[in-house]
Amino acid sequence: MTRRIFRSIFAVALCVFFSSVILFVSVLYGYFSDMGANQLKTQTELAAKAVDDEGIEYLKNLSLQNIRITWINSNGSVLYDSDSNIDKMENHLEREEVKEALSSGYGESSRYSVTLLERSLYSAKRLSDNSVIRLSVSQNTLLTLMLGMFQPICIIFVIAIILSFVLASRLSKRVVKPLNELNLDKPTENEVYEELSPLLNRINIQQQQIKHQRDELSQKCEEFDAITENMSEGILLLNAEGNVIGINRAAQRLFKTDKSCIGKHILSVNRS
């Protein structure tokens, strides 16, 4: 029982640990993703206003790190891109964020890389001439974050394993200790878990019934012995296997034996 309780507590502790790690990393990732998206939206609106005022000269003089900026015409052709040659770029009219910006004034979307290790966030703003300014930034996915935290997670996992092992061992022993110390001779006097009270009450009732039956049987045996001991006839009682289970004085004299023959086979007492 101790092992079963230990395994159960240990398994629960591990499940709680893994659930906590996954929940913590997911919430943390979601928070920073939302914050990055809000920052990208703010930067897009600022860039859109600047391009509206200064045109392409603003983009040429702009120095951005880790952010890609693209200026897209209303027909989807690329007018400017900070990372690629616009002559080799395809039409962007069907891009989700561009379509949304052209229809409602602002659009955003996200796309994952083939390996799912990187996600690109896109934020697009429509200008007064119906062209679109789009900013994009790349961020690590949850899988990349988990892989990056693999070493500290492993260290925490080892510590959690040790702590879970110790706590599970102590708790299982503490749970079983009151059960091992039960006084079954006096079931109702035990101070243990409330859930065991019905069982202890039933044991107490059964013990009282057994004691009553034992007293009745003992009384009948005494009465039987009193009757048979004073009889002149010899009485020998055998069980189904032929073993002696009772013998009175007259039978003892007849077979020249005593009470020590009880429990022995009749042939060992007398073969006549």
Side-chain angles (χ1 to χ4, degrees), residues 5-21 157 160-169 171:
I5 294 174
F6 170 80
R7 288 195 295 265
S8 300
I9 296 175
F10 189 69
V12 170
L14 290 183
C15 291
V16 171
F17 167 75
F18 283 116
S19 301
S20 300
V21 170
F157 176 72
I161 286 288
I162 296 173
L163 291 177
S164 299
F165 182 86
V166 174
L167 292 176
S169 179
L171 285 175

mmCIF file with all atom_site columns, all heavy atoms in Angstrom, residues 5-21 157 160-169 171:
data_model
loop_
_atom_site.group_PDB
_atom_site.id
_atom_site.type_symbol
_atom_site.label_atom_id
_atom_site.label_alt_id
_atom_site.label_comp_id
_atom_site.label_asym_id
_atom_site.label_entity_id
_atom_site.label_seq_id
_atom_site.pdbx_PDB_ins_code
_atom_site.Cartn_x
_atom_site.Cartn_y
_atom_site.Cartn_z
_atom_site.occupancy
_atom_site.B_iso_or_equiv
_atom_site.pdbx_formal_charge
_atom_site.auth_seq_id
_atom_site.auth_comp_id
_atom_site.auth_asym_id
_atom_site.auth_atom_id
_atom_site.pdbx_PDB_model_num
ATOM 1   N N   . ILE A 1 5   ? 0.720  4.316  -2.730  1.00 0.00 ? 5   ILE A N   1
ATOM 2   C CA  . ILE A 1 5   ? 0.524  5.714  -2.346  1.00 0.00 ? 5   ILE A CA  1
ATOM 3   C C   . ILE A 1 5   ? 1.703  6.557  -2.812  1.00 0.00 ? 5   ILE A C   1
ATOM 4   O O   . ILE A 1 5   ? 1.539  7.665  -3.326  1.00 0.00 ? 5   ILE A O   1
ATOM 5   C CB  . ILE A 1 5   ? 0.347  5.832  -0.819  1.00 0.00 ? 5   ILE A CB  1
ATOM 6   C CG1 . ILE A 1 5   ? -0.950 5.136  -0.387  1.00 0.00 ? 5   ILE A CG1 1
ATOM 7   C CG2 . ILE A 1 5   ? 0.329  7.294  -0.389  1.00 0.00 ? 5   ILE A CG2 1
ATOM 8   C CD1 . ILE A 1 5   ? -1.137 5.088  1.110   1.00 0.00 ? 5   ILE A CD1 1
ATOM 9   N N   . PHE A 1 6   ? 2.907  6.002  -2.657  1.00 0.00 ? 6   PHE A N   1
ATOM 10  C CA  . PHE A 1 6   ? 4.118  6.713  -3.082  1.00 0.00 ? 6   PHE A CA  1
ATOM 11  C C   . PHE A 1 6   ? 4.087  6.988  -4.581  1.00 0.00 ? 6   PHE A C   1
ATOM 12  O O   . PHE A 1 6   ? 4.354  8.112  -5.032  1.00 0.00 ? 6   PHE A O   1
ATOM 13  C CB  . PHE A 1 6   ? 5.350  5.895  -2.713  1.00 0.00 ? 6   PHE A CB  1
ATOM 14  C CG  . PHE A 1 6   ? 6.631  6.421  -3.310  1.00 0.00 ? 6   PHE A CG  1
ATOM 15  C CD1 . PHE A 1 6   ? 7.280  7.499  -2.731  1.00 0.00 ? 6   PHE A CD1 1
ATOM 16  C CD2 . PHE A 1 6   ? 7.168  5.848  -4.447  1.00 0.00 ? 6   PHE A CD2 1
ATOM 17  C CE1 . PHE A 1 6   ? 8.456  7.992  -3.274  1.00 0.00 ? 6   PHE A CE1 1
ATOM 18  C CE2 . PHE A 1 6   ? 8.336  6.334  -5.004  1.00 0.00 ? 6   PHE A CE2 1
ATOM 19  C CZ  . PHE A 1 6   ? 8.985  7.396  -4.409  1.00 0.00 ? 6   PHE A CZ  1
ATOM 20  N N   . ARG A 1 7   ? 3.744  5.953  -5.360  1.00 0.00 ? 7   ARG A N   1
ATOM 21  C CA  . ARG A 1 7   ? 3.700  6.137  -6.815  1.00 0.00 ? 7   ARG A CA  1
ATOM 22  C C   . ARG A 1 7   ? 2.638  7.160  -7.213  1.00 0.00 ? 7   ARG A C   1
ATOM 23  O O   . ARG A 1 7   ? 2.853  7.963  -8.127  1.00 0.00 ? 7   ARG A O   1
ATOM 24  C CB  . ARG A 1 7   ? 3.433  4.792  -7.507  1.00 0.00 ? 7   ARG A CB  1
ATOM 25  C CG  . ARG A 1 7   ? 4.612  3.834  -7.470  1.00 0.00 ? 7   ARG A CG  1
ATOM 26  C CD  . ARG A 1 7   ? 4.412  2.701  -8.477  1.00 0.00 ? 7   ARG A CD  1
ATOM 27  N NE  . ARG A 1 7   ? 3.277  1.872  -8.118  1.00 0.00 ? 7   ARG A NE  1
ATOM 28  C CZ  . ARG A 1 7   ? 3.363  0.761  -7.427  1.00 0.00 ? 7   ARG A CZ  1
ATOM 29  N NH1 . ARG A 1 7   ? 4.548  0.341  -6.996  1.00 0.00 ? 7   ARG A NH1 1
ATOM 30  N NH2 . ARG A 1 7   ? 2.291  0.040  -7.144  1.00 0.00 ? 7   ARG A NH2 1
ATOM 31  N N   . SER A 1 8   ? 1.506  7.124  -6.528  1.00 0.00 ? 8   SER A N   1
ATOM 32  C CA  . SER A 1 8   ? 0.431  8.066  -6.858  1.00 0.00 ? 8   SER A CA  1
ATOM 33  C C   . SER A 1 8   ? 0.854  9.506  -6.572  1.00 0.00 ? 8   SER A C   1
ATOM 34  O O   . SER A 1 8   ? 0.680  10.394 -7.410  1.00 0.00 ? 8   SER A O   1
ATOM 35  C CB  . SER A 1 8   ? -0.827 7.714  -6.058  1.00 0.00 ? 8   SER A CB  1
ATOM 36  O OG  . SER A 1 8   ? -1.273 6.414  -6.356  1.00 0.00 ? 8   SER A OG  1
ATOM 37  N N   . ILE A 1 9   ? 1.429  9.734  -5.389  1.00 0.00 ? 9   ILE A N   1
ATOM 38  C CA  . ILE A 1 9   ? 1.868  11.085 -5.020  1.00 0.00 ? 9   ILE A CA  1
ATOM 39  C C   . ILE A 1 9   ? 2.985  11.546 -5.949  1.00 0.00 ? 9   ILE A C   1
ATOM 40  O O   . ILE A 1 9   ? 3.007  12.700 -6.406  1.00 0.00 ? 9   ILE A O   1
ATOM 41  C CB  . ILE A 1 9   ? 2.340  11.106 -3.553  1.00 0.00 ? 9   ILE A CB  1
ATOM 42  C CG1 . ILE A 1 9   ? 1.168  10.778 -2.614  1.00 0.00 ? 9   ILE A CG1 1
ATOM 43  C CG2 . ILE A 1 9   ? 2.931  12.468 -3.194  1.00 0.00 ? 9   ILE A CG2 1
ATOM 44  C CD1 . ILE A 1 9   ? 1.565  10.658 -1.163  1.00 0.00 ? 9   ILE A CD1 1
ATOM 45  N N   . PHE A 1 10  ? 3.902  10.646 -6.270  1.00 0.00 ? 10  PHE A N   1
ATOM 46  C CA  . PHE A 1 10  ? 5.031  10.982 -7.138  1.00 0.00 ? 10  PHE A CA  1
ATOM 47  C C   . PHE A 1 10  ? 4.534  11.346 -8.537  1.00 0.00 ? 10  PHE A C   1
ATOM 48  O O   . PHE A 1 10  ? 4.995  12.328 -9.140  1.00 0.00 ? 10  PHE A O   1
ATOM 49  C CB  . PHE A 1 10  ? 5.986  9.794  -7.201  1.00 0.00 ? 10  PHE A CB  1
ATOM 50  C CG  . PHE A 1 10  ? 7.290  10.101 -7.882  1.00 0.00 ? 10  PHE A CG  1
ATOM 51  C CD1 . PHE A 1 10  ? 8.213  10.950 -7.301  1.00 0.00 ? 10  PHE A CD1 1
ATOM 52  C CD2 . PHE A 1 10  ? 7.597  9.523  -9.103  1.00 0.00 ? 10  PHE A CD2 1
ATOM 53  C CE1 . PHE A 1 10  ? 9.410  11.232 -7.924  1.00 0.00 ? 10  PHE A CE1 1
ATOM 54  C CE2 . PHE A 1 10  ? 8.794  9.801  -9.732  1.00 0.00 ? 10  PHE A CE2 1
ATOM 55  C CZ  . PHE A 1 10  ? 9.709  10.649 -9.145  1.00 0.00 ? 10  PHE A CZ  1
ATOM 56  N N   . ALA A 1 11  ? 3.577  10.564 -9.056  1.00 0.00 ? 11  ALA A N   1
ATOM 57  C CA  . ALA A 1 11  ? 3.036  10.836 -10.390 1.00 0.00 ? 11  ALA A CA  1
ATOM 58  C C   . ALA A 1 11  ? 2.293  12.170 -10.417 1.00 0.00 ? 11  ALA A C   1
ATOM 59  O O   . ALA A 1 11  ? 2.429  12.942 -11.374 1.00 0.00 ? 11  ALA A O   1
ATOM 60  C CB  . ALA A 1 11  ? 2.105  9.698  -10.814 1.00 0.00 ? 11  ALA A CB  1
ATOM 61  N N   . VAL A 1 12  ? 1.524  12.451 -9.375  1.00 0.00 ? 12  VAL A N   1
ATOM 62  C CA  . VAL A 1 12  ? 0.797  13.726 -9.303  1.00 0.00 ? 12  VAL A CA  1
ATOM 63  C C   . VAL A 1 12  ? 1.772  14.901 -9.261  1.00 0.00 ? 12  VAL A C   1
ATOM 64  O O   . VAL A 1 12  ? 1.570  15.926 -9.930  1.00 0.00 ? 12  VAL A O   1
ATOM 65  C CB  . VAL A 1 12  ? -0.125 13.746 -8.068  1.00 0.00 ? 12  VAL A CB  1
ATOM 66  C CG1 . VAL A 1 12  ? -0.690 15.143 -7.845  1.00 0.00 ? 12  VAL A CG1 1
ATOM 67  C CG2 . VAL A 1 12  ? -1.265 12.750 -8.235  1.00 0.00 ? 12  VAL A CG2 1
ATOM 68  N N   . ALA A 1 13  ? 2.853  14.744 -8.488  1.00 0.00 ? 13  ALA A N   1
ATOM 69  C CA  . ALA A 1 13  ? 3.851  15.825 -8.387  1.00 0.00 ? 13  ALA A CA  1
ATOM 70  C C   . ALA A 1 13  ? 4.489  16.102 -9.743  1.00 0.00 ? 13  ALA A C   1
ATOM 71  O O   . ALA A 1 13  ? 4.682  17.263 -10.127 1.00 0.00 ? 13  ALA A O   1
ATOM 72  C CB  . ALA A 1 13  ? 4.918  15.445 -7.362  1.00 0.00 ? 13  ALA A CB  1
ATOM 73  N N   . LEU A 1 14  ? 4.811  15.051 -10.497 1.00 0.00 ? 14  LEU A N   1
ATOM 74  C CA  . LEU A 1 14  ? 5.418  15.236 -11.820 1.00 0.00 ? 14  LEU A CA  1
ATOM 75  C C   . LEU A 1 14  ? 4.424  15.887 -12.786 1.00 0.00 ? 14  LEU A C   1
ATOM 76  O O   . LEU A 1 14  ? 4.805  16.765 -13.567 1.00 0.00 ? 14  LEU A O   1
ATOM 77  C CB  . LEU A 1 14  ? 5.884  13.889 -12.368 1.00 0.00 ? 14  LEU A CB  1
ATOM 78  C CG  . LEU A 1 14  ? 7.089  13.250 -11.676 1.00 0.00 ? 14  LEU A CG  1
ATOM 79  C CD1 . LEU A 1 14  ? 7.477  11.950 -12.369 1.00 0.00 ? 14  LEU A CD1 1
ATOM 80  C CD2 . LEU A 1 14  ? 8.287  14.195 -11.666 1.00 0.00 ? 14  LEU A CD2 1
ATOM 81  N N   . CYS A 1 15  ? 3.185  15.456 -12.739 1.00 0.00 ? 15  CYS A N   1
ATOM 82  C CA  . CYS A 1 15  ? 2.172  16.053 -13.618 1.00 0.00 ? 15  CYS A CA  1
ATOM 83  C C   . CYS A 1 15  ? 1.984  17.538 -13.317 1.00 0.00 ? 15  CYS A C   1
ATOM 84  O O   . CYS A 1 15  ? 1.877  18.365 -14.233 1.00 0.00 ? 15  CYS A O   1
ATOM 85  C CB  . CYS A 1 15  ? 0.834  15.317 -13.453 1.00 0.00 ? 15  CYS A CB  1
ATOM 86  S SG  . CYS A 1 15  ? 0.836  13.638 -14.107 1.00 0.00 ? 15  CYS A SG  1
ATOM 87  N N   . VAL A 1 16  ? 1.964  17.867 -12.033 1.00 0.00 ? 16  VAL A N   1
ATOM 88  C CA  . VAL A 1 16  ? 1.834  19.276 -11.634 1.00 0.00 ? 16  VAL A CA  1
ATOM 89  C C   . VAL A 1 16  ? 3.035  20.077 -12.117 1.00 0.00 ? 16  VAL A C   1
ATOM 90  O O   . VAL A 1 16  ? 2.899  21.214 -12.606 1.00 0.00 ? 16  VAL A O   1
ATOM 91  C CB  . VAL A 1 16  ? 1.686  19.388 -10.107 1.00 0.00 ? 16  VAL A CB  1
ATOM 92  C CG1 . VAL A 1 16  ? 1.782  20.847 -9.663  1.00 0.00 ? 16  VAL A CG1 1
ATOM 93  C CG2 . VAL A 1 16  ? 0.359  18.803 -9.658  1.00 0.00 ? 16  VAL A CG2 1
ATOM 94  N N   . PHE A 1 17  ? 4.229  19.475 -12.022 1.00 0.00 ? 17  PHE A N   1
ATOM 95  C CA  . PHE A 1 17  ? 5.441  20.173 -12.459 1.00 0.00 ? 17  PHE A CA  1
ATOM 96  C C   . PHE A 1 17  ? 5.396  20.471 -13.951 1.00 0.00 ? 17  PHE A C   1
ATOM 97  O O   . PHE A 1 17  ? 5.607  21.619 -14.382 1.00 0.00 ? 17  PHE A O   1
ATOM 98  C CB  . PHE A 1 17  ? 6.677  19.331 -12.121 1.00 0.00 ? 17  PHE A CB  1
ATOM 99  C CG  . PHE A 1 17  ? 7.934  19.814 -12.789 1.00 0.00 ? 17  PHE A CG  1
ATOM 100 C CD1 . PHE A 1 17  ? 8.589  20.952 -12.335 1.00 0.00 ? 17  PHE A CD1 1
ATOM 101 C CD2 . PHE A 1 17  ? 8.448  19.141 -13.884 1.00 0.00 ? 17  PHE A CD2 1
ATOM 102 C CE1 . PHE A 1 17  ? 9.739  21.403 -12.964 1.00 0.00 ? 17  PHE A CE1 1
ATOM 103 C CE2 . PHE A 1 17  ? 9.598  19.582 -14.513 1.00 0.00 ? 17  PHE A CE2 1
ATOM 104 C CZ  . PHE A 1 17  ? 10.250 20.714 -14.054 1.00 0.00 ? 17  PHE A CZ  1
ATOM 105 N N   . PHE A 1 18  ? 5.136  19.442 -14.759 1.00 0.00 ? 18  PHE A N   1
ATOM 106 C CA  . PHE A 1 18  ? 5.113  19.637 -16.204 1.00 0.00 ? 18  PHE A CA  1
ATOM 107 C C   . PHE A 1 18  ? 3.996  20.589 -16.614 1.00 0.00 ? 18  PHE A C   1
ATOM 108 O O   . PHE A 1 18  ? 4.192  21.437 -17.496 1.00 0.00 ? 18  PHE A O   1
ATOM 109 C CB  . PHE A 1 18  ? 4.945  18.289 -16.909 1.00 0.00 ? 18  PHE A CB  1
ATOM 110 C CG  . PHE A 1 18  ? 6.197  17.470 -16.962 1.00 0.00 ? 18  PHE A CG  1
ATOM 111 C CD1 . PHE A 1 18  ? 6.276  16.249 -16.313 1.00 0.00 ? 18  PHE A CD1 1
ATOM 112 C CD2 . PHE A 1 18  ? 7.315  17.924 -17.641 1.00 0.00 ? 18  PHE A CD2 1
ATOM 113 C CE1 . PHE A 1 18  ? 7.433  15.490 -16.349 1.00 0.00 ? 18  PHE A CE1 1
ATOM 114 C CE2 . PHE A 1 18  ? 8.483  17.177 -17.690 1.00 0.00 ? 18  PHE A CE2 1
ATOM 115 C CZ  . PHE A 1 18  ? 8.541  15.961 -17.039 1.00 0.00 ? 18  PHE A CZ  1
ATOM 116 N N   . SER A 1 19  ? 2.845  20.478 -15.980 1.00 0.00 ? 19  SER A N   1
ATOM 117 C CA  . SER A 1 19  ? 1.742  21.390 -16.291 1.00 0.00 ? 19  SER A CA  1
ATOM 118 C C   . SER A 1 19  ? 2.107  22.830 -15.949 1.00 0.00 ? 19  SER A C   1
ATOM 119 O O   . SER A 1 19  ? 1.790  23.757 -16.708 1.00 0.00 ? 19  SER A O   1
ATOM 120 C CB  . SER A 1 19  ? 0.487  20.963 -15.527 1.00 0.00 ? 19  SER A CB  1
ATOM 121 O OG  . SER A 1 19  ? 0.109  19.650 -15.852 1.00 0.00 ? 19  SER A OG  1
ATOM 122 N N   . SER A 1 20  ? 2.785  23.011 -14.818 1.00 0.00 ? 20  SER A N   1
ATOM 123 C CA  . SER A 1 20  ? 3.179  24.358 -14.400 1.00 0.00 ? 20  SER A CA  1
ATOM 124 C C   . SER A 1 20  ? 4.188  24.961 -15.364 1.00 0.00 ? 20  SER A C   1
ATOM 125 O O   . SER A 1 20  ? 4.093  26.141 -15.728 1.00 0.00 ? 20  SER A O   1
ATOM 126 C CB  . SER A 1 20  ? 3.765  24.312 -12.991 1.00 0.00 ? 20  SER A CB  1
ATOM 127 O OG  . SER A 1 20  ? 2.825  23.813 -12.062 1.00 0.00 ? 20  SER A OG  1
ATOM 128 N N   . VAL A 1 21  ? 5.164  24.134 -15.792 1.00 0.00 ? 21  VAL A N   1
ATOM 129 C CA  . VAL A 1 21  ? 6.187  24.622 -16.730 1.00 0.00 ? 21  VAL A CA  1
ATOM 130 C C   . VAL A 1 21  ? 5.540  25.034 -18.049 1.00 0.00 ? 21  VAL A C   1
ATOM 131 O O   . VAL A 1 21  ? 5.806  26.120 -18.590 1.00 0.00 ? 21  VAL A O   1
ATOM 132 C CB  . VAL A 1 21  ? 7.263  23.550 -16.960 1.00 0.00 ? 21  VAL A CB  1
ATOM 133 C CG1 . VAL A 1 21  ? 8.175  23.960 -18.112 1.00 0.00 ? 21  VAL A CG1 1
ATOM 134 C CG2 . VAL A 1 21  ? 8.089  23.348 -15.708 1.00 0.00 ? 21  VAL A CG2 1
ATOM 135 N N   . PHE A 1 157 ? 13.872 20.167 -13.478 1.00 0.00 ? 157 PHE A N   1
ATOM 136 C CA  . PHE A 1 157 ? 13.228 18.851 -13.485 1.00 0.00 ? 157 PHE A CA  1
ATOM 137 C C   . PHE A 1 157 ? 13.925 17.896 -12.511 1.00 0.00 ? 157 PHE A C   1
ATOM 138 O O   . PHE A 1 157 ? 13.259 17.175 -11.762 1.00 0.00 ? 157 PHE A O   1
ATOM 139 C CB  . PHE A 1 157 ? 13.264 18.277 -14.898 1.00 0.00 ? 157 PHE A CB  1
ATOM 140 C CG  . PHE A 1 157 ? 12.723 16.884 -14.997 1.00 0.00 ? 157 PHE A CG  1
ATOM 141 C CD1 . PHE A 1 157 ? 11.375 16.644 -14.881 1.00 0.00 ? 157 PHE A CD1 1
ATOM 142 C CD2 . PHE A 1 157 ? 13.581 15.815 -15.199 1.00 0.00 ? 157 PHE A CD2 1
ATOM 143 C CE1 . PHE A 1 157 ? 10.873 15.358 -14.959 1.00 0.00 ? 157 PHE A CE1 1
ATOM 144 C CE2 . PHE A 1 157 ? 13.088 14.522 -15.274 1.00 0.00 ? 157 PHE A CE2 1
ATOM 145 C CZ  . PHE A 1 157 ? 11.735 14.293 -15.169 1.00 0.00 ? 157 PHE A CZ  1
ATOM 146 N N   . ALA A 1 160 ? 13.052 18.924 -9.066  1.00 0.00 ? 160 ALA A N   1
ATOM 147 C CA  . ALA A 1 160 ? 11.663 18.553 -8.785  1.00 0.00 ? 160 ALA A CA  1
ATOM 148 C C   . ALA A 1 160 ? 11.534 17.047 -8.544  1.00 0.00 ? 160 ALA A C   1
ATOM 149 O O   . ALA A 1 160 ? 10.754 16.619 -7.683  1.00 0.00 ? 160 ALA A O   1
ATOM 150 C CB  . ALA A 1 160 ? 10.766 18.972 -9.954  1.00 0.00 ? 160 ALA A CB  1
ATOM 151 N N   . ILE A 1 161 ? 12.303 16.245 -9.294  1.00 0.00 ? 161 ILE A N   1
ATOM 152 C CA  . ILE A 1 161 ? 12.271 14.787 -9.108  1.00 0.00 ? 161 ILE A CA  1
ATOM 153 C C   . ILE A 1 161 ? 12.722 14.431 -7.693  1.00 0.00 ? 161 ILE A C   1
ATOM 154 O O   . ILE A 1 161 ? 12.100 13.629 -6.990  1.00 0.00 ? 161 ILE A O   1
ATOM 155 C CB  . ILE A 1 161 ? 13.173 14.097 -10.141 1.00 0.00 ? 161 ILE A CB  1
ATOM 156 C CG1 . ILE A 1 161 ? 12.524 14.127 -11.521 1.00 0.00 ? 161 ILE A CG1 1
ATOM 157 C CG2 . ILE A 1 161 ? 13.457 12.651 -9.739  1.00 0.00 ? 161 ILE A CG2 1
ATOM 158 C CD1 . ILE A 1 161 ? 11.345 13.203 -11.676 1.00 0.00 ? 161 ILE A CD1 1
ATOM 159 N N   . ILE A 1 162 ? 13.824 15.046 -7.267  1.00 0.00 ? 162 ILE A N   1
ATOM 160 C CA  . ILE A 1 162 ? 14.365 14.754 -5.933  1.00 0.00 ? 162 ILE A CA  1
ATOM 161 C C   . ILE A 1 162 ? 13.379 15.177 -4.847  1.00 0.00 ? 162 ILE A C   1
ATOM 162 O O   . ILE A 1 162 ? 13.090 14.414 -3.915  1.00 0.00 ? 162 ILE A O   1
ATOM 163 C CB  . ILE A 1 162 ? 15.723 15.459 -5.743  1.00 0.00 ? 162 ILE A CB  1
ATOM 164 C CG1 . ILE A 1 162 ? 16.756 14.892 -6.738  1.00 0.00 ? 162 ILE A CG1 1
ATOM 165 C CG2 . ILE A 1 162 ? 16.239 15.284 -4.322  1.00 0.00 ? 162 ILE A CG2 1
ATOM 166 C CD1 . ILE A 1 162 ? 18.070 15.637 -6.740  1.00 0.00 ? 162 ILE A CD1 1
ATOM 167 N N   . LEU A 1 163 ? 12.862 16.409 -4.968  1.00 0.00 ? 163 LEU A N   1
ATOM 168 C CA  . LEU A 1 163 ? 11.907 16.901 -3.973  1.00 0.00 ? 163 LEU A CA  1
ATOM 169 C C   . LEU A 1 163 ? 10.630 16.057 -3.970  1.00 0.00 ? 163 LEU A C   1
ATOM 170 O O   . LEU A 1 163 ? 10.101 15.736 -2.897  1.00 0.00 ? 163 LEU A O   1
ATOM 171 C CB  . LEU A 1 163 ? 11.560 18.362 -4.257  1.00 0.00 ? 163 LEU A CB  1
ATOM 172 C CG  . LEU A 1 163 ? 12.682 19.386 -4.021  1.00 0.00 ? 163 LEU A CG  1
ATOM 173 C CD1 . LEU A 1 163 ? 12.225 20.781 -4.423  1.00 0.00 ? 163 LEU A CD1 1
ATOM 174 C CD2 . LEU A 1 163 ? 13.118 19.375 -2.563  1.00 0.00 ? 163 LEU A CD2 1
ATOM 175 N N   . SER A 1 164 ? 10.163 15.688 -5.158  1.00 0.00 ? 164 SER A N   1
ATOM 176 C CA  . SER A 1 164 ? 8.954  14.865 -5.235  1.00 0.00 ? 164 SER A CA  1
ATOM 177 C C   . SER A 1 164 ? 9.185  13.501 -4.596  1.00 0.00 ? 164 SER A C   1
ATOM 178 O O   . SER A 1 164 ? 8.308  12.973 -3.905  1.00 0.00 ? 164 SER A O   1
ATOM 179 C CB  . SER A 1 164 ? 8.540  14.687 -6.699  1.00 0.00 ? 164 SER A CB  1
ATOM 180 O OG  . SER A 1 164 ? 8.247  15.923 -7.295  1.00 0.00 ? 164 SER A OG  1
ATOM 181 N N   . PHE A 1 165 ? 10.366 12.945 -4.836  1.00 0.00 ? 165 PHE A N   1
ATOM 182 C CA  . PHE A 1 165 ? 10.696 11.627 -4.258  1.00 0.00 ? 165 PHE A CA  1
ATOM 183 C C   . PHE A 1 165 ? 10.689 11.701 -2.733  1.00 0.00 ? 165 PHE A C   1
ATOM 184 O O   . PHE A 1 165 ? 10.109 10.841 -2.052  1.00 0.00 ? 165 PHE A O   1
ATOM 185 C CB  . PHE A 1 165 ? 12.057 11.167 -4.768  1.00 0.00 ? 165 PHE A CB  1
ATOM 186 C CG  . PHE A 1 165 ? 12.459 9.816  -4.282  1.00 0.00 ? 165 PHE A CG  1
ATOM 187 C CD1 . PHE A 1 165 ? 12.053 8.672  -4.942  1.00 0.00 ? 165 PHE A CD1 1
ATOM 188 C CD2 . PHE A 1 165 ? 13.249 9.677  -3.146  1.00 0.00 ? 165 PHE A CD2 1
ATOM 189 C CE1 . PHE A 1 165 ? 12.411 7.415  -4.485  1.00 0.00 ? 165 PHE A CE1 1
ATOM 190 C CE2 . PHE A 1 165 ? 13.615 8.425  -2.681  1.00 0.00 ? 165 PHE A CE2 1
ATOM 191 C CZ  . PHE A 1 165 ? 13.195 7.290  -3.362  1.00 0.00 ? 165 PHE A CZ  1
ATOM 192 N N   . VAL A 1 166 ? 11.341 12.732 -2.202  1.00 0.00 ? 166 VAL A N   1
ATOM 193 C CA  . VAL A 1 166 ? 11.419 12.871 -0.738  1.00 0.00 ? 166 VAL A CA  1
ATOM 194 C C   . VAL A 1 166 ? 10.048 13.119 -0.141  1.00 0.00 ? 166 VAL A C   1
ATOM 195 O O   . VAL A 1 166 ? 9.642  12.468 0.841   1.00 0.00 ? 166 VAL A O   1
ATOM 196 C CB  . VAL A 1 166 ? 12.398 14.019 -0.369  1.00 0.00 ? 166 VAL A CB  1
ATOM 197 C CG1 . VAL A 1 166 ? 12.375 14.279 1.134   1.00 0.00 ? 166 VAL A CG1 1
ATOM 198 C CG2 . VAL A 1 166 ? 13.813 13.671 -0.810  1.00 0.00 ? 166 VAL A CG2 1
ATOM 199 N N   . LEU A 1 167 ? 9.310  14.066 -0.728  1.00 0.00 ? 167 LEU A N   1
ATOM 200 C CA  . LEU A 1 167 ? 7.988  14.398 -0.194  1.00 0.00 ? 167 LEU A CA  1
ATOM 201 C C   . LEU A 1 167 ? 7.015  13.224 -0.329  1.00 0.00 ? 167 LEU A C   1
ATOM 202 O O   . LEU A 1 167 ? 6.243  12.946 0.592   1.00 0.00 ? 167 LEU A O   1
ATOM 203 C CB  . LEU A 1 167 ? 7.433  15.624 -0.925  1.00 0.00 ? 167 LEU A CB  1
ATOM 204 C CG  . LEU A 1 167 ? 8.161  16.953 -0.656  1.00 0.00 ? 167 LEU A CG  1
ATOM 205 C CD1 . LEU A 1 167 ? 7.576  18.067 -1.504  1.00 0.00 ? 167 LEU A CD1 1
ATOM 206 C CD2 . LEU A 1 167 ? 8.087  17.322 0.817   1.00 0.00 ? 167 LEU A CD2 1
ATOM 207 N N   . ALA A 1 168 ? 7.058  12.543 -1.471  1.00 0.00 ? 168 ALA A N   1
ATOM 208 C CA  . ALA A 1 168 ? 6.164  11.405 -1.667  1.00 0.00 ? 168 ALA A CA  1
ATOM 209 C C   . ALA A 1 168 ? 6.472  10.287 -0.678  1.00 0.00 ? 168 ALA A C   1
ATOM 210 O O   . ALA A 1 168 ? 5.563  9.645  -0.141  1.00 0.00 ? 168 ALA A O   1
ATOM 211 C CB  . ALA A 1 168 ? 6.291  10.886 -3.103  1.00 0.00 ? 168 ALA A CB  1
ATOM 212 N N   . SER A 1 169 ? 7.777  10.077 -0.418  1.00 0.00 ? 169 SER A N   1
ATOM 213 C CA  . SER A 1 169 ? 8.161  9.038  0.535   1.00 0.00 ? 169 SER A CA  1
ATOM 214 C C   . SER A 1 169 ? 7.668  9.376  1.937   1.00 0.00 ? 169 SER A C   1
ATOM 215 O O   . SER A 1 169 ? 7.093  8.521  2.635   1.00 0.00 ? 169 SER A O   1
ATOM 216 C CB  . SER A 1 169 ? 9.684  8.881  0.525   1.00 0.00 ? 169 SER A CB  1
ATOM 217 O OG  . SER A 1 169 ? 10.094 7.909  1.456   1.00 0.00 ? 169 SER A OG  1
ATOM 218 N N   . LEU A 1 171 ? 5.225  11.514 2.811   1.00 0.00 ? 171 LEU A N   1
ATOM 219 C CA  . LEU A 1 171 ? 3.759  11.569 2.882   1.00 0.00 ? 171 LEU A CA  1
ATOM 220 C C   . LEU A 1 171 ? 3.150  10.168 2.890   1.00 0.00 ? 171 LEU A C   1
ATOM 221 O O   . LEU A 1 171 ? 2.191  9.911  3.619   1.00 0.00 ? 171 LEU A O   1
ATOM 222 C CB  . LEU A 1 171 ? 3.215  12.366 1.694   1.00 0.00 ? 171 LEU A CB  1
ATOM 223 C CG  . LEU A 1 171 ? 3.385  13.889 1.768   1.00 0.00 ? 171 LEU A CG  1
ATOM 224 C CD1 . LEU A 1 171 ? 2.923  14.542 0.481   1.00 0.00 ? 171 LEU A CD1 1
ATOM 225 C CD2 . LEU A 1 171 ? 2.618  14.459 2.950   1.00 0.00 ? 171 LEU A CD2 1
#
